[in-house]
């Protein structure tokens, strides 16, 4: 069985402890098959990283068994919830509390802080939802446990549903290195272990910010408090001899550099508390590294840093998210994207390739973009990724109705794929005295679907990029995204409403159109959209039988109409408080109205859930979720050439889940 140890801080390096990141966990999981065991010994760390690791483990297809070897606090407790089985060692414990973000720096006006508070509440709600799903408690109860910073012993964790069982043969390991003094409710042994880690004044402020539980003893000296005090502005080195107070991010930089240079933690803490500027502190760390006589040795970090997130990845992700935010008009971003939000597109390009030249004039901007797009850097791929995210955001939000009545089935290639409609599972039979179990057979009916490749080229002009007009780029993408969604909708309904009287394609299994009177999928005579006629359609769908002649017990869920019948459809499904039984609306809350302008006149359709009995199916090439952008030509005289590409297929696969009335 494959084994993963998550020991140390969640998502952070540079403070002298071991650490692990979501990127490392995802890469490790990608190479695994079968069951895995995850051993946790962590005091917590970055809330978002904890969520990402939890999601990665929860998505893993094999069984996941989590062992809490000593402690699973804060973000680490959320990671533990991903286990199909959660096992506590004797003496181990969990701690859950409200998460915070390491990107908080105390800057901004009241609106900025209100948005940050809202963001943190969203994170906390996400944590509570996961705890609630795991334990069976309500989200409200879990939120109260988080606000109270609840310590769970092994027994309490099992009793409250946060763990499955206690492994009596396993005794808890020593707690992972972490400053547990930032928590109010931890075992004394953990608090004492933190006391033995050395000077923590500078470090504690950063950790307190991450855990959201800064103690009163540190409140006076926290960089957070000093930065938000207007009377104590940050001084430059040499201004009146005032002591410089580093920001939280600068403290992190110092510890990261010290860790790489193998400088003892107490020496790094002394640099932070000495009042030096960041530049001077980094110079002293570099000098210390040189004094060790290993100037030819790469400055590798702790052993676990080999699976960490490098700065190149952080920059790529930050620029990508900043570009997406700029193009979509988002005002709030988190993480490394915040650093790039104030940059123009040419400045991002120059920063990514490491250019130190100024980007002031139009010529500077052109050279910066050309350097980034013509060099061997992957900046074009970053821009392409950002454009694809923006395109998909608009495309996904486009109002198309076909997805509510069709089932999605993706394909590995462009060959015609048989879509098998399998009949009933063979009925169970009594096992005889000899223990013989008889094999059964199923009935099958085949239809075929195939993908078709579509594409259209366009250009993003050099003027848009040089002028940093990302809003114009977004409008261009929005037009393309809505156009692709409309194209899919049109393609689907051309298929679904094809044939005589728009009764749909002819099926191979019946040699009849999807909607016909022989199979009972079409009304014999047109009828108005009213309770009585919908009742006839409802009864017809409910009586459908499988290929083997057994009742399917289908329940209609979607009422599909054209614009001419939209008002009547909404009135039909509206919730009405009636004082007489004859006036009660039986379809309120049971049917969802879908509308398509492709349906003309009075026709209306009733469908069962496409997951239960699909009449139609659609799909993309496996791994895709809609359109994608591809760069055809890098930055040149006429800008960038792009192609919008779509691999899409749709077709009819059965008749049992639908009903049509031509309407009156």
């Amino acid at each position: 069985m494959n084994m993963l140890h998550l020991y140390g801080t969640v998502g952070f390096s540079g403070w002298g402890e071991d650490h692990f990141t979501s990127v490392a966990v995802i890469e490790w999981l990608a190479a695994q098959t079968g069951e895995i065991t995850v051993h946790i010994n962590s005091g917590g760390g970055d809330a978002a990283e904890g969520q990402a690791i939890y999601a990665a483990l929860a998505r893993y297809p094999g069984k996941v068994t989590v062992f809490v070897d000593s402690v699973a606090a804060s973000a680490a407790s959320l990671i533990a919830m991903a286990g199909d089985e959660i096992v506590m060692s004797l003496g181990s414990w969990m701690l859950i509390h409200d998460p915070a973000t390491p990107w908080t720096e105390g800057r901004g006006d009241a609106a900025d802080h209100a948005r940050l508070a809202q963001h943190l509440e969203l994170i906390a709600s996400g944590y509570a939802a996961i705890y609630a799903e795991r334990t069976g408690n309500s989200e409200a109860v879990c939120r109260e446990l988080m606000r109270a910073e609840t310590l769970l012993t092994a027994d309490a964790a099992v009793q409250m549903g946060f763990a499955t069982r206690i492994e009596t043969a396993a005794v808890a390991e020593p707690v992972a290195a972490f400053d547990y003094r930032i928590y109010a409710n931890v075992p004394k042994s953990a608090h004492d272990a933190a006391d033995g880690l050395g000077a923590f004044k500078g470090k504690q402020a950063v950790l307190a910010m991450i855990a959201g539980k800064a103690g009163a003893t540190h409140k006076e000296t926290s960089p957070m408090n000093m930065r938000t005090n207007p009377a104590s502005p940050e001084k430059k080195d040499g201004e009146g001899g005032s002591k410089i107070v580093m920001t939280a991010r600068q403290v992190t930089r110092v510890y990261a550099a010290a860790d790489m240079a193998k400088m003892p933690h107490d020496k790094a803490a002394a640099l932070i508390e000495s009042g030096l500027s960041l530049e001077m502190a980094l110079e002293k760390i570099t000098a210390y590294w040189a004094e060790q006589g290993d100037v030819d040795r790469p400055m590798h970090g702790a052993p676990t840093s080999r699976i960490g997130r490098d700065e190149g990845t952080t920059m790529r992700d930050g620029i990508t998210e900043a570009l997406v935010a700029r193009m979509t008009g988002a005002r709030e971003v988190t993480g490394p994207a915040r650093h790039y939000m104030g940059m123009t597109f040419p400045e991002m390009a120059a920063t990514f390739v490491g250019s130190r030249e100024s980007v002031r004039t139009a010529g500077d901007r052109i050279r910066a973009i050309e350097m980034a797009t013509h060099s061997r850097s992957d900046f074009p791929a970053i821009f392409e990724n950002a454009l694809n995210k923006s395109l998909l955001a608009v495309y996904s939000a486009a109002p198309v109705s076909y997805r509510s009545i069709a089932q999605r089935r993706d394909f590995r290639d462009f060959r015609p794929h048989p879509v098998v409609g399998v009949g009933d599972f063979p009925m169970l039979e009594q096992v005889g005295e000899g223990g013989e179990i008889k094999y059964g057979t199923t009935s099958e009916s085949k239809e075929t679907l195939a993908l078709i490749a579509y594409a259209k080229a366009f250009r993003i002009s050099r003027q848009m990029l040089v002028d940093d007009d990302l809003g114009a780029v977004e409008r261009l993408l929005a037009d393309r995204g809505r156009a692709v969604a409309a194209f899919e909708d049109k393609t689907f309904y051309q298929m679904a409403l094809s044939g005589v009287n728009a009764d749909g394609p002819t099926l191979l299994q019946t040699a009849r159109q999807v909607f016909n009177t022989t199979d009972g999928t079409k009304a014999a005579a047109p009828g108005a959209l009213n309770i009585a006629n919908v009742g006839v359609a409802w009864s017809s769908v409910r009586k459908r039988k499988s290929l083997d002649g057994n009742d399917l017990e289908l329940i209609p869920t979607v009422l599909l109409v054209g614009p001419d019948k939209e008002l009547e459809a909404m009135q039909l499904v509206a919730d009405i408080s009636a004082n007489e039984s004859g006036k009660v609306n039986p379809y309120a809350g049971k049917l969802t109205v879908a509308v398509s302008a492709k349906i003309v006149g009075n026709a209306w359709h009733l469908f069962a859930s496409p997951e239960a009995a699909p009449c139609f199916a659609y799909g993309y090439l496996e791994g895709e979720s809609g359109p994608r952008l591809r760069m055809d030509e890098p930055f040149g005289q006429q800008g960038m050439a792009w192609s919008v590409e779509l691999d899409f297929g749709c077709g009819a696969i059965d008749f049992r889940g639908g009903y049509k009335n031509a309407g009156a």
Side-chain angles (χ1 to χ4, degrees):
M1 187 179 294
N2 300 322
M3 190 177 300
L4 173 66
H5 283 79
L6 301 181
Y7 276 36
T9 307
V10 180
F12 288 99
S13 63
W15 296 328
E17 300 97 4
D18 290 341
H19 70 286
F20 52 93
T21 67
S22 59
V23 172
V25 173
I26 291 170
E27 290 175 349
W28 184 85
L29 288 173
Q32 307 308 311
T33 58
E35 297 184 11
I36 62 171
T37 58
V38 181
H39 291 262
I40 297 177
N41 186 2
S42 170
D46 184 287
E49 280 285 281
Q51 281 184 310
I53 295 172
Y54 163 83
L57 291 171
R59 287 194 303 266
Y60 183 74
K63 181 182 178 182
V64 178
T65 302
V66 171
F67 288 88
V68 179
D69 290 348
S70 180
V71 54
S74 188
S77 69
L78 188 84
I79 296 171
M81 299 300 104
D84 296 306
E85 186 178 11
I86 305 171
V87 184
M88 304 290 291
S89 300
L90 275 178
S92 63
W93 49 278
M94 287 186 183
L95 183 138
I96 65 173
H97 72 122
D98 271 357
T101 171
W103 300 100
T104 308
E105 291 194 33
R107 287 182 175 175
D109 57 17
D112 291 329
H113 286 284
R115 284 192 292 269
L116 177 59
Q118 190 176 38
H119 173 68
L120 291 177
E121 185 60 28
L122 286 174
I123 296 177
S125 297
Y127 268 51
I130 293 171
Y131 290 138
E133 181 182 10
R134 179 74 211 193
T135 64
N137 297 311
S138 68
E139 290 187 29
V141 168
C142 291
R143 284 294 285 118
E144 287 304 314
L145 292 173
M146 293 166 65
R147 291 189 183 99
E149 189 186 284
T150 302
L151 172 68
L152 300 168
T153 63
D155 287 331
V158 173
Q159 291 173 9
M160 296 179 67
F162 286 89
T164 309
R165 62 182 174 88
I166 300 174
E167 179 62 76
T168 56
V171 180
E173 297 280 342
V175 295
F178 195 85
D179 193 0
Y180 297 95
R181 293 171 297 183
I182 61 177
Y183 300 129
N185 303 318
V186 294
K188 185 176 183 300
S189 59
H191 189 280
D192 293 342
D195 280 335
L197 290 176
F200 268 90
K201 291 181 181 178
K203 179 182 175 184
Q204 276 181 296
V206 182
L207 287 172
M209 186 170 55
I210 295 163
K213 295 288 181 181
T217 55
H218 309 121
K219 189 172 183 179
E220 297 298 324
T221 57
S222 167
M224 286 283 295
N225 286 283
M226 298 189 75
R227 281 174 54 77
T228 56
N229 182 356
S232 304
E234 182 176 329
K235 301 285 187 179
K236 298 297 182 182
D237 191 31
E239 290 183 353
S242 299
K243 180 178 178 179
I244 293 176
V245 177
M246 291 187 184
T247 67
R249 201 172 294 178
Q250 288 172 334
V251 170
T252 303
R253 283 281 307 279
V254 171
Y255 278 119
D259 184 39
M260 293 173 67
K262 303 292 186 182
M263 175 182 278
H265 179 79
D266 57 349
K267 291 184 179 294
L271 289 176
I272 293 170
E273 296 167 16
S274 65
L276 295 174
S277 66
L278 173 64
E279 291 75 14
M280 294 183 66
L282 294 177
E283 287 177 4
K284 289 188 176 294
I285 292 172
T286 302
Y288 174 86
W289 170 64
E291 290 172 0
Q292 308 311 303
D294 291 332
V295 292
D296 294 327
R297 170 181 59 83
M299 293 175 63
H300 294 301
T304 54
S305 65
R306 68 183 181 276
I307 62 172
R309 188 179 182 84
D310 62 32
E311 289 301 315
T313 301
T314 301
M315 180 183 291
R316 281 191 293 272
D317 290 351
I319 290 178
T320 299
E321 295 306 317
L323 284 170
V324 172
R326 291 275 308 281
M327 285 187 287
T328 57
R331 295 187 176 182
E332 180 182 354
V333 295
T334 59
R338 294 179 62 184
H339 178 69
Y340 302 100
M341 280 297 288
M343 293 185 182
T344 65
F345 179 80
E347 287 172 340
M348 292 183 194
T351 299
F352 187 81
V353 297
S355 172
R356 297 187 178 182
E357 298 180 4
S358 63
V359 185
R360 297 178 181 176
T361 68
D364 293 337
R365 295 193 290 272
I366 292 175
R367 282 190 293 274
I369 296 173
E370 287 179 340
M371 183 165 49
T373 54
H374 290 167
S375 68
R376 294 183 179 180
S377 80
D378 54 359
F379 186 77
I382 291 175
F383 189 37
E384 183 175 280
N385 187 22
L387 291 177
N388 270 302
K389 287 187 175 184
S390 300
L391 176 69
L392 285 175
V394 176
Y395 161 82
S396 300
V400 292
S401 61
Y402 80 86
R403 295 172 191 155
S404 63
I405 64 169
Q407 185 184 70
R408 176 170 169 175
R409 299 185 179 187
D410 292 346
F411 310 102
R412 293 185 177 181
D413 51 48
F414 291 88
R415 293 174 296 179
H417 287 261
V419 179
V420 180
V422 181
D424 297 307
F425 185 85
M427 297 299 291
L428 300 180
E429 297 182 26
Q430 182 176 348
V431 178
E433 292 183 2
E436 179 185 2
I437 299 176
K438 297 180 180 179
Y439 286 92
T441 60
T442 60
S443 301
E444 296 184 354
S445 175
K446 296 183 179 180
E447 304 293 334
T448 59
L449 292 176
L451 289 174
I452 299 176
Y454 304 95
K456 191 70 173 180
F458 70 100
R459 286 187 178 274
I460 295 178
S461 72
R462 65 199 298 264
Q463 289 89 345
M464 289 182 186
L465 300 179
V466 172
D467 294 345
D468 191 39
D469 193 359
L470 294 181
V473 174
E474 191 278 331
R475 290 189 293 274
L476 187 64
L477 291 177
D479 290 342
R480 300 300 185 273
R482 285 188 288 267
V484 171
F487 172 80
E488 286 184 10
D489 202 50
K490 178 181 178 181
T491 302
F492 176 86
Y493 280 109
Q494 282 180 339
M495 173 275 301
L497 301 177
S498 63
V500 179
N501 297 320
D503 288 339
T506 298
L507 296 169
L508 293 176
Q509 59 177 295
T510 63
R512 292 183 289 273
Q513 290 176 268
V514 174
F515 304 108
N516 63 86
T517 55
T518 302
D519 293 318
T521 56
K522 182 180 179 180
L529 181 59
N530 55 36
I531 290 179
N533 286 330
V534 171
V536 173
W538 187 287
S539 175
S540 177
V541 174
R542 291 283 278 166
K543 293 177 182 178
R544 299 286 161 77
K545 295 183 181 295
S546 69
L547 290 168
D548 296 323
N550 295 311
D551 295 327
L552 290 174
E553 302 288 355
L554 299 177
I555 300 176
T557 60
V558 180
L559 176 61
L560 176 68
V561 298
D564 293 334
K565 289 293 178 179
E566 183 173 3
L567 178 59
E568 293 178 42
M570 291 189 295
Q571 291 173 332
L572 186 72
V573 302
D575 193 2
I576 301 175
S577 298
N579 55 7
E580 297 179 24
S581 60
K583 296 181 180 180
V584 172
N585 182 4
Y587 305 117
K590 295 182 179 179
L591 287 176
T592 300
V593 175
V595 183
S596 173
K598 313 298 185 302
I599 299 176
V600 297
N602 299 323
W604 52 272
H605 301 71
L606 200 65
F607 290 97
S609 166
E611 297 305 315
C615 289
F616 305 102
Y618 71 97
Y620 308 96
L621 191 63
E622 192 174 57
E624 302 291 343
S625 296
R628 62 188 178 276
L629 283 173
R630 180 174 58 83
M631 181 186 291
D632 294 328
E633 179 184 315
F635 187 78
Q637 292 299 315
Q638 299 302 316
M640 288 181 169
W642 299 83
S643 292
V644 179
E645 301 176 349
L646 175 71
D647 300 317
F648 180 73
C650 60
I653 61 174
D654 204 345
F655 64 88
R656 291 171 178 81
Y659 184 94
K660 176 184 177 180
N661 190 309

